[in-house]
Amino acid sequence: MKLFGSVTSPFARKVRVVLLEKHIEFEFITNSMEGGESAPINNINPLGKIPALQLDDGLSLFDSPVIAEYLDSINPVGHLIPEPARERTMVKRWEALADGVLDAGVSIVLEMRRPENERSPAAMARQKGKMERGVAMMAKELGPRTSCTADAFNLADIAVGCTLLWLDFRFPEITWREQYPHLVVLVDKLAQRKSFIDTPPNP
Ligand SMILES: N[C@@H](CCC(=O)N[C@@H](CS)C(=O)NCC(=O)O)C(=O)O
């Protein structure tokens, strides 16, 4: 299978961590967004976004929650999404929260790439508010625990780890490490896993 992504994309990192945790081999294609309207990614994902996963039979999967769910279902190695409905929903809810913080952050990054006189400070402030509230909710719901749900490492932890480590990379001014010590314990523990060590945003 082929994963279309980039080393800096936090959504692609989430999928790469899942692939590594599940010991699934893949080819990583990193330049598919280049070429404007004729960029290769548009043939894989009409929405023109990474990550997208192309299976060996040609079927393409997007977006990252769909890809993560598919990958978790294809082999029994270290299940990352529990089966019971409530637990499963809680994991997906954590993922939605972490991804939502990223959506807000990515929209600010894109806005910052526009000429200064075309940027909307009000829109950026609104997105920043989503990020800050999202991280505050993560901290509140984690409490003193060392994993997001139950005791086991799962997709919720992966999603939160990829989001907060991306904030370190792109938004160092968001001082989550000073504000939320329990999130720091969680994320620093995750960062020691081989799957995270092997997928830095700044290799
Ligand atoms: N909901 C999507 C979000 C993916 C996303 O926003 N990817 C960004 C890169 S980090 C992208 O491809 N942006 C290009 C665009 O929006 O055209 C997912 O979870 O996969």
Side-chain angles (χ1 to χ4, degrees):
M1 57 181 79
K2 291 181 185 164
L3 177 68
F4 293 78
S6 74
V7 288
T8 52
S9 164
F11 301 100
R13 186 182 198 185
K14 181 179 64 173
V15 170
R16 290 161 74 203
V17 169
V18 169
L19 283 157
L20 294 171
E21 292 286 344
K22 303 273 301 175
H23 303 292
I24 298 169
E25 290 196 4
F26 66 103
E27 188 183 341
F28 190 35
I29 306 213
T30 55
N31 51 4
S32 62
M33 306 270 277
E34 289 161 22
E37 276 303 299
S38 51
I41 189 66
N42 295 339
N43 295 323
I44 308 295
N45 176 359
L47 308 174
K49 293 189 183 192
I50 52 168
L53 185 75
Q54 189 174 43
L55 306 184
D56 293 343
D57 66 4
L59 180 71
S60 62
L61 299 181
F62 47 85
D63 53 0
S64 64
V66 172
I67 299 172
E69 184 150 7
Y70 169 74
L71 294 172
D72 196 41
S73 72
I74 59 172
N75 80 21
V77 179
H79 269 307
L80 296 171
I81 305 175
E83 268 171 28
R86 175 90 181 193
E87 290 168 37
R88 177 191 162 75
T89 301
M90 290 311 287
V91 168
K92 301 293 290 177
R93 180 174 179 269
W94 271 101
E95 184 184 27
L97 178 60
D99 285 2
V101 169
L102 291 178
D103 284 331
V106 167
S107 72
I108 293 178
V109 170
L110 294 179
E111 189 80 6
M112 290 301 289
R113 288 187 187 150
R114 292 154 63 99
E116 202 166 344
N117 62 344
E118 290 178 19
R119 290 179 206 157
S120 163
M124 288 197 285
R126 225 171 23 250
Q127 298 299 334
K128 190 109 181 272
K130 293 177 199 280
M131 295 170 79
E132 287 170 346
R133 288 194 304 276
V135 176
M137 185 173 189
M138 287 179 196
K140 185 158 175 271
E141 303 229 338
L142 180 68
R145 293 196 314 268
T146 53
S147 57
C148 295
T149 68
D151 296 329
F153 164 78
N154 63 33
L155 181 63
D157 304 300
I158 294 174
V160 167
C162 291
T163 292
L164 292 175
L165 291 167
W166 186 77
L167 293 192
D168 285 347
F169 171 60
R170 286 280 194 227
F171 290 88
E173 71 275 18
I174 296 185
T175 56
W176 68 272
R177 286 182 177 273
E178 285 162 34
Q179 292 174 268
Y180 307 119
H182 294 300
L183 282 179
V184 176
V185 172
L186 169 70
V187 171
D188 286 354
K189 190 180 65 162
L190 290 168
Q192 290 168 20
R193 296 181 79 91
K194 189 163 187 318
S195 56
F196 276 84
I197 293 170
D198 288 350
T199 56
N202 48 354

